Amino acid sequence: MRILGIDPSNASAGFAIRENGQLRWVDSKPPTAAVDIAVVEGPWVQGSKAGKLSMWGLGFSAAWL
C-alpha cells in the first residue's frame, strides 16, 4: 500500500511516500505513480470564521497539488 502525505504550505510544500514500512521524502513535486491513500495536514480550527476558511483553502490546495 502506498500512502502519500501532502504538506501544501506556501513556503515549503512537499510530499512524502510511505510504502512497505519505508518512509521517504519525495520533494516539491508529486510522485508520478498512483497511490492508495492521500493524507494532508490539518489546520487547528478554533471555531473562528478565519480558521474555517483556511481549512477550505488547505483542502483546495492539497487537491490541486
Side-chain angles (χ1 to χ4, degrees):
M1 175 179 291
R2 290 172 51 94
I3 301 172
L4 171 66
I6 304 169
D7 176 3
S9 67
N10 292 334
S12 60
F15 302 88
I17 292 283
R18 181 175 173 93
E19 183 176 26
N20 300 325
Q22 301 280 329
L23 182 65
R24 63 184 172 91
W25 186 250
V26 177
D27 203 358
S28 59
K29 296 181 181 178
T32 56
V35 296
D36 298 303
I37 298 172
V39 296
V40 65
E41 69 173 337
W44 179 257
V45 178
Q46 299 176 356
S48 69
K49 185 176 181 179
K52 291 176 183 175
L53 289 175
S54 69
M55 283 184 59
W56 280 101
L58 178 65
F60 284 123
S61 296
W64 181 78
L65 289 171

